[in-house]
Amino acid sequence: MTSRWVLFTLLLCLAVFEGLLITMLSHWPSVLDTSKTRIQEALYVSSPVASSAYLFQPRQPRKLLLVVAVLSHAARKARRDAIRETWFSDCRQRTDDVFCAFFTDQAGLDNETSSSVRKESQENNDLVFLEVEDNLAFAERLLQAIAWSFQRLKFDFFLRIDDDHFLCLDRLLYELNYRPKQALYWGFVHCRPKIVRVDEAWLMLTRDLIEEILEKRNSTLLCSPYGDQAVAIWMGNSSKNVTYFMDNHRIVHKSAGKDQKFFTKDVCMKYLSLHGTYPKAMRQLWLVASVFRQRTPEAIAYTVNKIEPFDKLCPHSPRFDYRGFIPEYQFKPKPCYENPKWALSKERHVGREETGERYSSYRR
């Protein structure tokens, strides 16, 4: 009798389990859809559920060394794909050290491009959508990117970078362990009277500077349509003793992707980042750089360049004055909290890939 009762109980449990399993499987597609919807919702800067955990990083360490925000126009999928296939692979492999994501928006997009970038987001989950209305609103894009990162991640350094930069991320991560973690303003510096500034194509800030910027965002912070102009003003008004790190020899600002002298296996031993590198060149540089790293990983000992006193490298005061520009680039700063507009806000910014170099010399 006992054995029959045990058998009956076992069969009953199996029947209940089977029913639960069937129910779960029948609802599985909707469960997946809900999760997918939640992921996509999280990739907007204003989403209440927004979290970097929904991007490709599988888990969040307590503190990162670096956040890399790649600012990219929605139509530049080819550039993003080239980065995904090259130096973004280091982001995926070193999730305890670095977090990388693309930041884009849908300002001025046609329906086809808007649909395409949404599909791309669903396939990759590495895009964050900014809420920007105007094409020429680079300071606002930067503010939203740093706010999104600051609210969701703990990090020491924040890098804003263009989508045509070939970044030697392995070298950068190595080097950041030796850099000051307070009040560092680093990049390619335009050394010109009144308009000294780090170019926004590669712009590094420490977390404390970002915190100060965000604290002023709704009060005294001034904006410009261009991000590098705005940051130069912010650094000039900082209460901190800001270190201006002029790194013009290793952060190449010219169109490096068109110059074969950079296509050497030790490119990342000589340089930190190469601007003007488009998809074909991006992949070629990654190939030659990877060969060097794969063959002699134990021999890689990157040189950590000394931060030279700024006045030894640039004779001009770092105090920024927009009136130092030619009239075409003169924009009187306005309070950021007013969400300011400028006459050319709706115009699309045309990059050097279409127009070529815009400066005769990049030595300063």
PDB file of all heavy atoms in Angstrom, residues 183-214:
ATOM      1  N   ALA A 183      41.543  66.293 -11.189  1.00  0.00           N
ATOM      2  CA  ALA A 183      41.702  67.548 -11.944  1.00  0.00           C
ATOM      3  C   ALA A 183      42.612  67.422 -13.154  1.00  0.00           C
ATOM      4  O   ALA A 183      43.438  68.299 -13.424  1.00  0.00           O
ATOM      5  CB  ALA A 183      42.192  68.654 -11.008  1.00  0.00           C
ATOM      6  N   LEU A 184      42.463  66.337 -13.917  1.00  0.00           N
ATOM      7  CA  LEU A 184      43.266  66.141 -15.127  1.00  0.00           C
ATOM      8  C   LEU A 184      42.410  66.425 -16.373  1.00  0.00           C
ATOM      9  O   LEU A 184      41.334  65.856 -16.548  1.00  0.00           O
ATOM     10  CB  LEU A 184      43.810  64.719 -15.191  1.00  0.00           C
ATOM     11  CG  LEU A 184      44.750  64.420 -16.369  1.00  0.00           C
ATOM     12  CD1 LEU A 184      46.014  65.266 -16.287  1.00  0.00           C
ATOM     13  CD2 LEU A 184      45.099  62.933 -16.413  1.00  0.00           C
ATOM     14  N   TYR A 185      42.916  67.293 -17.222  1.00  0.00           N
ATOM     15  CA  TYR A 185      42.265  67.730 -18.472  1.00  0.00           C
ATOM     16  C   TYR A 185      43.253  67.425 -19.585  1.00  0.00           C
ATOM     17  O   TYR A 185      44.242  68.110 -19.753  1.00  0.00           O
ATOM     18  CB  TYR A 185      41.965  69.225 -18.341  1.00  0.00           C
ATOM     19  CG  TYR A 185      41.376  69.950 -19.514  1.00  0.00           C
ATOM     20  CD1 TYR A 185      40.381  69.398 -20.320  1.00  0.00           C
ATOM     21  CD2 TYR A 185      41.781  71.261 -19.790  1.00  0.00           C
ATOM     22  CE1 TYR A 185      39.828  70.120 -21.363  1.00  0.00           C
ATOM     23  CE2 TYR A 185      41.243  71.993 -20.830  1.00  0.00           C
ATOM     24  CZ  TYR A 185      40.267  71.419 -21.620  1.00  0.00           C
ATOM     25  OH  TYR A 185      39.719  72.140 -22.661  1.00  0.00           O
ATOM     26  N   TRP A 186      42.979  66.388 -20.386  1.00  0.00           N
ATOM     27  CA  TRP A 186      44.009  65.747 -21.197  1.00  0.00           C
ATOM     28  C   TRP A 186      43.534  65.578 -22.628  1.00  0.00           C
ATOM     29  O   TRP A 186      42.401  65.180 -22.880  1.00  0.00           O
ATOM     30  CB  TRP A 186      44.301  64.393 -20.547  1.00  0.00           C
ATOM     31  CG  TRP A 186      45.295  63.494 -21.202  1.00  0.00           C
ATOM     32  CD1 TRP A 186      46.116  63.736 -22.256  1.00  0.00           C
ATOM     33  CD2 TRP A 186      45.572  62.139 -20.795  1.00  0.00           C
ATOM     34  NE1 TRP A 186      46.886  62.636 -22.549  1.00  0.00           N
ATOM     35  CE2 TRP A 186      46.575  61.639 -21.661  1.00  0.00           C
ATOM     36  CE3 TRP A 186      45.080  61.318 -19.783  1.00  0.00           C
ATOM     37  CZ2 TRP A 186      47.070  60.346 -21.550  1.00  0.00           C
ATOM     38  CZ3 TRP A 186      45.578  60.036 -19.676  1.00  0.00           C
ATOM     39  CH2 TRP A 186      46.568  59.562 -20.545  1.00  0.00           C
ATOM     40  N   GLY A 187      44.449  65.832 -23.571  1.00  0.00           N
ATOM     41  CA  GLY A 187      44.136  65.570 -24.964  1.00  0.00           C
ATOM     42  C   GLY A 187      45.043  66.335 -25.906  1.00  0.00           C
ATOM     43  O   GLY A 187      46.125  66.789 -25.534  1.00  0.00           O
ATOM     44  N   PHE A 188      44.584  66.479 -27.151  1.00  0.00           N
ATOM     45  CA  PHE A 188      45.281  67.289 -28.140  1.00  0.00           C
ATOM     46  C   PHE A 188      44.876  68.737 -27.896  1.00  0.00           C
ATOM     47  O   PHE A 188      43.699  69.087 -28.000  1.00  0.00           O
ATOM     48  CB  PHE A 188      44.922  66.872 -29.562  1.00  0.00           C
ATOM     49  CG  PHE A 188      45.606  67.683 -30.624  1.00  0.00           C
ATOM     50  CD1 PHE A 188      46.776  67.236 -31.220  1.00  0.00           C
ATOM     51  CD2 PHE A 188      45.088  68.915 -31.018  1.00  0.00           C
ATOM     52  CE1 PHE A 188      47.418  68.000 -32.188  1.00  0.00           C
ATOM     53  CE2 PHE A 188      45.722  69.677 -31.985  1.00  0.00           C
ATOM     54  CZ  PHE A 188      46.891  69.231 -32.563  1.00  0.00           C
ATOM     55  N   VAL A 189      45.853  69.589 -27.574  1.00  0.00           N
ATOM     56  CA  VAL A 189      45.567  70.973 -27.220  1.00  0.00           C
ATOM     57  C   VAL A 189      45.797  71.891 -28.418  1.00  0.00           C
ATOM     58  O   VAL A 189      46.876  71.888 -29.022  1.00  0.00           O
ATOM     59  CB  VAL A 189      46.433  71.438 -26.033  1.00  0.00           C
ATOM     60  CG1 VAL A 189      46.210  72.924 -25.747  1.00  0.00           C
ATOM     61  CG2 VAL A 189      46.121  70.609 -24.797  1.00  0.00           C
ATOM     62  N   HIS A 190      44.772  72.676 -28.726  1.00  0.00           N
ATOM     63  CA  HIS A 190      44.939  73.753 -29.701  1.00  0.00           C
ATOM     64  C   HIS A 190      45.556  74.934 -28.967  1.00  0.00           C
ATOM     65  O   HIS A 190      44.905  75.554 -28.122  1.00  0.00           O
ATOM     66  CB  HIS A 190      43.590  74.155 -30.301  1.00  0.00           C
ATOM     67  CG  HIS A 190      42.966  73.098 -31.152  1.00  0.00           C
ATOM     68  ND1 HIS A 190      43.350  72.871 -32.455  1.00  0.00           N
ATOM     69  CD2 HIS A 190      41.990  72.199 -30.878  1.00  0.00           C
ATOM     70  CE1 HIS A 190      42.620  71.879 -32.963  1.00  0.00           C
ATOM     71  NE2 HIS A 190      41.796  71.453 -32.025  1.00  0.00           N
ATOM     72  N   CYS A 191      46.805  75.218 -29.259  1.00  0.00           N
ATOM     73  CA  CYS A 191      47.532  76.301 -28.588  1.00  0.00           C
ATOM     74  C   CYS A 191      47.446  77.551 -29.454  1.00  0.00           C
ATOM     75  O   CYS A 191      48.283  77.787 -30.323  1.00  0.00           O
ATOM     76  CB  CYS A 191      48.981  75.883 -28.352  1.00  0.00           C
ATOM     77  SG  CYS A 191      49.976  77.151 -27.558  1.00  0.00           S
ATOM     78  N   ARG A 192      46.411  78.320 -29.235  1.00  0.00           N
ATOM     79  CA  ARG A 192      46.172  79.552 -29.977  1.00  0.00           C
ATOM     80  C   ARG A 192      45.800  80.658 -28.991  1.00  0.00           C
ATOM     81  O   ARG A 192      45.109  80.386 -28.003  1.00  0.00           O
ATOM     82  CB  ARG A 192      45.026  79.370 -30.984  1.00  0.00           C
ATOM     83  CG  ARG A 192      45.292  78.335 -32.075  1.00  0.00           C
ATOM     84  CD  ARG A 192      46.266  78.888 -33.109  1.00  0.00           C
ATOM     85  NE  ARG A 192      46.382  78.009 -34.261  1.00  0.00           N
ATOM     86  CZ  ARG A 192      47.256  77.031 -34.390  1.00  0.00           C
ATOM     87  NH1 ARG A 192      48.072  76.767 -33.387  1.00  0.00           N
ATOM     88  NH2 ARG A 192      47.320  76.300 -35.471  1.00  0.00           N
ATOM     89  N   PRO A 193      46.223  81.892 -29.237  1.00  0.00           N
ATOM     90  CA  PRO A 193      45.893  82.968 -28.313  1.00  0.00           C
ATOM     91  C   PRO A 193      44.384  83.063 -28.045  1.00  0.00           C
ATOM     92  O   PRO A 193      43.585  83.045 -28.984  1.00  0.00           O
ATOM     93  CB  PRO A 193      46.406  84.226 -29.033  1.00  0.00           C
ATOM     94  CG  PRO A 193      47.446  83.731 -29.973  1.00  0.00           C
ATOM     95  CD  PRO A 193      46.992  82.367 -30.401  1.00  0.00           C
ATOM     96  N   LYS A 194      44.015  83.113 -26.797  1.00  0.00           N
ATOM     97  CA  LYS A 194      42.645  83.265 -26.290  1.00  0.00           C
ATOM     98  C   LYS A 194      41.795  82.003 -26.416  1.00  0.00           C
ATOM     99  O   LYS A 194      40.797  81.863 -25.718  1.00  0.00           O
ATOM    100  CB  LYS A 194      41.912  84.422 -26.987  1.00  0.00           C
ATOM    101  CG  LYS A 194      42.484  85.790 -26.713  1.00  0.00           C
ATOM    102  CD  LYS A 194      41.600  86.867 -27.330  1.00  0.00           C
ATOM    103  CE  LYS A 194      42.138  88.261 -27.021  1.00  0.00           C
ATOM    104  NZ  LYS A 194      41.273  89.312 -27.593  1.00  0.00           N
ATOM    105  N   ILE A 195      42.145  81.084 -27.299  1.00  0.00           N
ATOM    106  CA  ILE A 195      41.266  79.927 -27.533  1.00  0.00           C
ATOM    107  C   ILE A 195      42.002  78.607 -27.294  1.00  0.00           C
ATOM    108  O   ILE A 195      41.798  77.618 -28.005  1.00  0.00           O
ATOM    109  CB  ILE A 195      40.648  79.957 -28.950  1.00  0.00           C
ATOM    110  CG1 ILE A 195      41.743  80.141 -30.027  1.00  0.00           C
ATOM    111  CG2 ILE A 195      39.616  81.077 -29.059  1.00  0.00           C
ATOM    112  CD1 ILE A 195      41.207  80.019 -31.445  1.00  0.00           C
ATOM    113  N   VAL A 196      42.839  78.572 -26.285  1.00  0.00           N
ATOM    114  CA  VAL A 196      43.493  77.326 -25.879  1.00  0.00           C
ATOM    115  C   VAL A 196      42.431  76.354 -25.395  1.00  0.00           C
ATOM    116  O   VAL A 196      41.588  76.688 -24.549  1.00  0.00           O
ATOM    117  CB  VAL A 196      44.525  77.598 -24.768  1.00  0.00           C
ATOM    118  CG1 VAL A 196      45.012  76.286 -24.169  1.00  0.00           C
ATOM    119  CG2 VAL A 196      45.692  78.404 -25.313  1.00  0.00           C
ATOM    120  N   ARG A 197      42.470  75.135 -25.911  1.00  0.00           N
ATOM    121  CA  ARG A 197      41.451  74.151 -25.523  1.00  0.00           C
ATOM    122  C   ARG A 197      41.887  72.766 -25.962  1.00  0.00           C
ATOM    123  O   ARG A 197      42.645  72.627 -26.932  1.00  0.00           O
ATOM    124  CB  ARG A 197      40.095  74.479 -26.159  1.00  0.00           C
ATOM    125  CG  ARG A 197      40.080  74.296 -27.674  1.00  0.00           C
ATOM    126  CD  ARG A 197      39.037  75.142 -28.364  1.00  0.00           C
ATOM    127  NE  ARG A 197      38.968  74.829 -29.805  1.00  0.00           N
ATOM    128  CZ  ARG A 197      39.835  75.310 -30.697  1.00  0.00           C
ATOM    129  NH1 ARG A 197      40.831  76.080 -30.336  1.00  0.00           N
ATOM    130  NH2 ARG A 197      39.687  74.993 -31.981  1.00  0.00           N
ATOM    131  N   VAL A 198      41.404  71.753 -25.276  1.00  0.00           N
ATOM    132  CA  VAL A 198      41.575  70.363 -25.702  1.00  0.00           C
ATOM    133  C   VAL A 198      40.510  70.052 -26.745  1.00  0.00           C
ATOM    134  O   VAL A 198      39.317  70.272 -26.512  1.00  0.00           O
ATOM    135  CB  VAL A 198      41.441  69.396 -24.509  1.00  0.00           C
ATOM    136  CG1 VAL A 198      41.393  67.948 -24.992  1.00  0.00           C
ATOM    137  CG2 VAL A 198      42.606  69.581 -23.538  1.00  0.00           C
ATOM    138  N   ASP A 199      40.934  69.566 -27.893  1.00  0.00           N
ATOM    139  CA  ASP A 199      39.980  69.233 -28.952  1.00  0.00           C
ATOM    140  C   ASP A 199      39.028  68.145 -28.467  1.00  0.00           C
ATOM    141  O   ASP A 199      39.438  67.173 -27.835  1.00  0.00           O
ATOM    142  CB  ASP A 199      40.720  68.747 -30.198  1.00  0.00           C
ATOM    143  CG  ASP A 199      39.818  68.677 -31.403  1.00  0.00           C
ATOM    144  OD1 ASP A 199      39.144  67.643 -31.583  1.00  0.00           O
ATOM    145  OD2 ASP A 199      39.780  69.666 -32.161  1.00  0.00           O
ATOM    146  N   GLU A 200      37.737  68.307 -28.784  1.00  0.00           N
ATOM    147  CA  GLU A 200      36.750  67.373 -28.260  1.00  0.00           C
ATOM    148  C   GLU A 200      36.778  66.010 -28.939  1.00  0.00           C
ATOM    149  O   GLU A 200      36.113  65.073 -28.479  1.00  0.00           O
ATOM    150  CB  GLU A 200      35.339  67.958 -28.362  1.00  0.00           C
ATOM    151  CG  GLU A 200      34.820  68.196 -29.755  1.00  0.00           C
ATOM    152  CD  GLU A 200      33.452  68.878 -29.726  1.00  0.00           C
ATOM    153  OE1 GLU A 200      32.526  68.326 -29.108  1.00  0.00           O
ATOM    154  OE2 GLU A 200      33.318  69.967 -30.314  1.00  0.00           O
ATOM    155  N   ALA A 201      37.541  65.857 -30.005  1.00  0.00           N
ATOM    156  CA  ALA A 201      37.617  64.551 -30.661  1.00  0.00           C
ATOM    157  C   ALA A 201      38.239  63.494 -29.753  1.00  0.00           C
ATOM    158  O   ALA A 201      37.964  62.300 -29.910  1.00  0.00           O
ATOM    159  CB  ALA A 201      38.410  64.650 -31.961  1.00  0.00           C
ATOM    160  N   TRP A 202      39.069  63.926 -28.813  1.00  0.00           N
ATOM    161  CA  TRP A 202      39.701  63.042 -27.812  1.00  0.00           C
ATOM    162  C   TRP A 202      39.895  63.882 -26.565  1.00  0.00           C
ATOM    163  O   TRP A 202      40.834  64.677 -26.478  1.00  0.00           O
ATOM    164  CB  TRP A 202      41.031  62.516 -28.319  1.00  0.00           C
ATOM    165  CG  TRP A 202      41.576  61.297 -27.627  1.00  0.00           C
ATOM    166  CD1 TRP A 202      41.586  60.021 -28.117  1.00  0.00           C
ATOM    167  CD2 TRP A 202      42.227  61.221 -26.337  1.00  0.00           C
ATOM    168  NE1 TRP A 202      42.187  59.156 -27.220  1.00  0.00           N
ATOM    169  CE2 TRP A 202      42.598  59.875 -26.115  1.00  0.00           C
ATOM    170  CE3 TRP A 202      42.539  62.152 -25.349  1.00  0.00           C
ATOM    171  CZ2 TRP A 202      43.254  59.440 -24.967  1.00  0.00           C
ATOM    172  CZ3 TRP A 202      43.181  61.721 -24.190  1.00  0.00           C
ATOM    173  CH2 TRP A 202      43.530  60.386 -24.002  1.00  0.00           C
ATOM    174  N   LEU A 203      39.017  63.726 -25.608  1.00  0.00           N
ATOM    175  CA  LEU A 203      39.002  64.618 -24.453  1.00  0.00           C
ATOM    176  C   LEU A 203      38.823  63.796 -23.182  1.00  0.00           C
ATOM    177  O   LEU A 203      37.814  63.114 -23.015  1.00  0.00           O
ATOM    178  CB  LEU A 203      37.872  65.636 -24.609  1.00  0.00           C
ATOM    179  CG  LEU A 203      37.846  66.839 -23.683  1.00  0.00           C
ATOM    180  CD1 LEU A 203      37.087  67.989 -24.344  1.00  0.00           C
ATOM    181  CD2 LEU A 203      37.195  66.522 -22.342  1.00  0.00           C
ATOM    182  N   MET A 204      39.828  63.844 -22.320  1.00  0.00           N
ATOM    183  CA  MET A 204      39.813  63.070 -21.078  1.00  0.00           C
ATOM    184  C   MET A 204      39.619  63.987 -19.877  1.00  0.00           C
ATOM    185  O   MET A 204      40.267  65.031 -19.769  1.00  0.00           O
ATOM    186  CB  MET A 204      41.128  62.304 -20.926  1.00  0.00           C
ATOM    187  CG  MET A 204      41.225  61.454 -19.665  1.00  0.00           C
ATOM    188  SD  MET A 204      40.452  59.840 -19.865  1.00  0.00           S
ATOM    189  CE  MET A 204      41.715  59.006 -20.847  1.00  0.00           C
ATOM    190  N   LEU A 205      38.739  63.561 -18.965  1.00  0.00           N
ATOM    191  CA  LEU A 205      38.502  64.277 -17.720  1.00  0.00           C
ATOM    192  C   LEU A 205      38.462  63.279 -16.571  1.00  0.00           C
ATOM    193  O   LEU A 205      38.015  62.143 -16.738  1.00  0.00           O
ATOM    194  CB  LEU A 205      37.170  65.037 -17.759  1.00  0.00           C
ATOM    195  CG  LEU A 205      37.031  66.174 -18.769  1.00  0.00           C
ATOM    196  CD1 LEU A 205      35.582  66.629 -18.849  1.00  0.00           C
ATOM    197  CD2 LEU A 205      37.940  67.342 -18.402  1.00  0.00           C
ATOM    198  N   THR A 206      38.918  63.719 -15.418  1.00  0.00           N
ATOM    199  CA  THR A 206      38.803  62.884 -14.225  1.00  0.00           C
ATOM    200  C   THR A 206      37.424  63.049 -13.608  1.00  0.00           C
ATOM    201  O   THR A 206      36.709  64.019 -13.861  1.00  0.00           O
ATOM    202  CB  THR A 206      39.893  63.249 -13.208  1.00  0.00           C
ATOM    203  OG1 THR A 206      39.972  64.673 -13.089  1.00  0.00           O
ATOM    204  CG2 THR A 206      41.238  62.706 -13.625  1.00  0.00           C
ATOM    205  N   ARG A 207      37.071  62.082 -12.773  1.00  0.00           N
ATOM    206  CA  ARG A 207      35.724  62.044 -12.210  1.00  0.00           C
ATOM    207  C   ARG A 207      35.396  63.294 -11.390  1.00  0.00           C
ATOM    208  O   ARG A 207      34.266  63.791 -11.425  1.00  0.00           O
ATOM    209  CB  ARG A 207      35.553  60.794 -11.344  1.00  0.00           C
ATOM    210  CG  ARG A 207      34.131  60.627 -10.803  1.00  0.00           C
ATOM    211  CD  ARG A 207      33.997  59.380  -9.945  1.00  0.00           C
ATOM    212  NE  ARG A 207      32.652  59.254  -9.404  1.00  0.00           N
ATOM    213  CZ  ARG A 207      31.645  58.629  -9.997  1.00  0.00           C
ATOM    214  NH1 ARG A 207      31.832  58.081 -11.185  1.00  0.00           N
ATOM    215  NH2 ARG A 207      30.451  58.557  -9.448  1.00  0.00           N
ATOM    216  N   ASP A 208      36.374  63.826 -10.658  1.00  0.00           N
ATOM    217  CA  ASP A 208      36.089  64.990  -9.823  1.00  0.00           C
ATOM    218  C   ASP A 208      35.714  66.204 -10.660  1.00  0.00           C
ATOM    219  O   ASP A 208      34.852  67.000 -10.266  1.00  0.00           O
ATOM    220  CB  ASP A 208      37.284  65.301  -8.909  1.00  0.00           C
ATOM    221  CG  ASP A 208      38.556  65.624  -9.688  1.00  0.00           C
ATOM    222  OD1 ASP A 208      38.734  65.071 -10.800  1.00  0.00           O
ATOM    223  OD2 ASP A 208      39.373  66.415  -9.193  1.00  0.00           O
ATOM    224  N   LEU A 209      36.330  66.361 -11.834  1.00  0.00           N
ATOM    225  CA  LEU A 209      35.967  67.462 -12.716  1.00  0.00           C
ATOM    226  C   LEU A 209      34.548  67.280 -13.259  1.00  0.00           C
ATOM    227  O   LEU A 209      33.786  68.245 -13.369  1.00  0.00           O
ATOM    228  CB  LEU A 209      36.969  67.566 -13.870  1.00  0.00           C
ATOM    229  CG  LEU A 209      38.373  68.044 -13.498  1.00  0.00           C
ATOM    230  CD1 LEU A 209      39.279  68.006 -14.725  1.00  0.00           C
ATOM    231  CD2 LEU A 209      38.346  69.441 -12.896  1.00  0.00           C
ATOM    232  N   ILE A 210      34.214  66.048 -13.585  1.00  0.00           N
ATOM    233  CA  ILE A 210      32.866  65.770 -14.073  1.00  0.00           C
ATOM    234  C   ILE A 210      31.825  66.049 -12.992  1.00  0.00           C
ATOM    235  O   ILE A 210      30.759  66.629 -13.261  1.00  0.00           O
ATOM    236  CB  ILE A 210      32.789  64.310 -14.566  1.00  0.00           C
ATOM    237  CG1 ILE A 210      33.495  64.199 -15.911  1.00  0.00           C
ATOM    238  CG2 ILE A 210      31.340  63.833 -14.673  1.00  0.00           C
ATOM    239  CD1 ILE A 210      33.563  62.813 -16.472  1.00  0.00           C
ATOM    240  N   GLU A 211      32.145  65.670 -11.779  1.00  0.00           N
ATOM    241  CA  GLU A 211      31.218  65.929 -10.676  1.00  0.00           C
ATOM    242  C   GLU A 211      30.993  67.434 -10.503  1.00  0.00           C
ATOM    243  O   GLU A 211      29.852  67.885 -10.309  1.00  0.00           O
ATOM    244  CB  GLU A 211      31.770  65.332  -9.390  1.00  0.00           C
ATOM    245  CG  GLU A 211      30.827  65.461  -8.208  1.00  0.00           C
ATOM    246  CD  GLU A 211      31.323  64.717  -6.983  1.00  0.00           C
ATOM    247  OE1 GLU A 211      32.515  64.331  -6.958  1.00  0.00           O
ATOM    248  OE2 GLU A 211      30.528  64.511  -6.053  1.00  0.00           O
ATOM    249  N   GLU A 212      32.056  68.209 -10.600  1.00  0.00           N
ATOM    250  CA  GLU A 212      31.929  69.667 -10.475  1.00  0.00           C
ATOM    251  C   GLU A 212      31.090  70.240 -11.616  1.00  0.00           C
ATOM    252  O   GLU A 212      30.241  71.121 -11.407  1.00  0.00           O
ATOM    253  CB  GLU A 212      33.316  70.308 -10.472  1.00  0.00           C
ATOM    254  CG  GLU A 212      33.290  71.817 -10.278  1.00  0.00           C
ATOM    255  CD  GLU A 212      34.674  72.438 -10.343  1.00  0.00           C
ATOM    256  OE1 GLU A 212      35.465  72.041 -11.240  1.00  0.00           O
ATOM    257  OE2 GLU A 212      34.962  73.307  -9.515  1.00  0.00           O
ATOM    258  N   ILE A 213      31.313  69.743 -12.836  1.00  0.00           N
ATOM    259  CA  ILE A 213      30.534  70.198 -13.992  1.00  0.00           C
ATOM    260  C   ILE A 213      29.051  69.945 -13.769  1.00  0.00           C
ATOM    261  O   ILE A 213      28.208  70.829 -13.978  1.00  0.00           O
ATOM    262  CB  ILE A 213      31.017  69.486 -15.270  1.00  0.00           C
ATOM    263  CG1 ILE A 213      32.414  69.979 -15.660  1.00  0.00           C
ATOM    264  CG2 ILE A 213      30.038  69.699 -16.421  1.00  0.00           C
ATOM    265  CD1 ILE A 213      33.092  69.115 -16.707  1.00  0.00           C
ATOM    266  N   LEU A 214      28.722  68.739 -13.350  1.00  0.00           N
ATOM    267  CA  LEU A 214      27.311  68.380 -13.177  1.00  0.00           C
ATOM    268  C   LEU A 214      26.665  69.140 -12.022  1.00  0.00           C
ATOM    269  O   LEU A 214      25.467  69.431 -12.067  1.00  0.00           O
ATOM    270  CB  LEU A 214      27.188  66.871 -12.968  1.00  0.00           C
ATOM    271  CG  LEU A 214      27.600  66.017 -14.180  1.00  0.00           C
ATOM    272  CD1 LEU A 214      27.534  64.538 -13.832  1.00  0.00           C
ATOM    273  CD2 LEU A 214      26.707  66.323 -15.384  1.00  0.00           C
TER     274      LEU A 214
END
